Amino acid sequence: MIRIRDIDHLVLRILDLEAMLGFYCGVLGCTVERRQDAIGLVQLRAGRSLIDLVPVDGVLGRHGGGTPAPDRRNMDHFCLRIDPWDEAAIRAHLDRHGVTIGETGTRYGAEGDGPSIYIADPEGNTVELKGPPSGG
């Protein structure tokens, strides 16, 4: 039997590496873990998981088809578990960076129902920021 613990990594095909690094590192606090510029891959540490950025004009990116666009997305969204969850501080931080912030709602995730906010990265990928389960 296969038992999934949590998300290991996800891969985003991107157009503007610097804008995406600014968002994921500068706004969300990821760090660059590894770069393989020869093949067009930047891996960001996001807690226990990785977010791989693959520019579409690089070696890897050219294998993936067309460029990302509002009518051609690779995914619906992905969710990052935020700890600690301080909604006011999170909203203030995002606002300082000019990020459009969606409504907070209670949504179900890997740990159960809890607060979450939807935002978008510079290329329109939807990112859900998720807090702890209700009562935890």
Side-chain angles (χ1 to χ4, degrees):
M1 172 180 249
I2 296 173
R3 295 178 188 243
I4 297 172
R5 188 184 70 195
D6 48 19
I7 294 174
D8 182 81
H9 73 278
L10 60 92
V11 180
L12 295 175
R13 298 181 71 249
I14 64 167
L15 297 171
D16 185 340
L17 179 60
E18 292 310 310
M20 296 296 268
L21 286 171
F23 180 79
Y24 285 99
C25 295
V27 177
L28 294 183
C30 294
T31 57
V32 175
E33 177 146 323
R34 190 169 72 142
R35 289 184 77 122
Q36 295 184 352
D37 294 323
I39 62 171
L41 172 65
V42 178
Q43 293 179 294
L44 306 179
R45 174 60 55 188
R48 295 184 300 198
S49 302
L50 295 176
I51 298 171
D52 294 357
L53 302 178
V54 176
V56 296
D57 60 354
V59 173
L60 290 178
R62 286 191 293 269
H63 295 293
T67 58
D71 63 339
R72 292 187 310 267
R73 294 190 180 175
N74 297 10
M75 75 178 106
D76 179 70
H77 77 280
F78 64 92
C79 179
L80 301 173
R81 173 65 162 80
I82 306 300
D83 187 28
W85 180 263
D86 179 339
E87 183 178 347
I90 292 167
R91 285 180 169 277
H93 175 76
L94 294 171
D95 190 53
R96 281 192 302 276
H97 288 280
V99 176
T100 302
I101 307 166
E103 293 296 316
T104 299
T106 298
R107 298 178 180 94
Y108 190 79
E111 299 176 352
D113 285 319
S116 78
I117 300 172
Y118 286 108
I119 60 175
D121 72 17
E123 294 191 2
N125 295 296
T126 302
V127 181
E128 179 182 357
L129 304 179
K130 185 98 169 66
S134 300

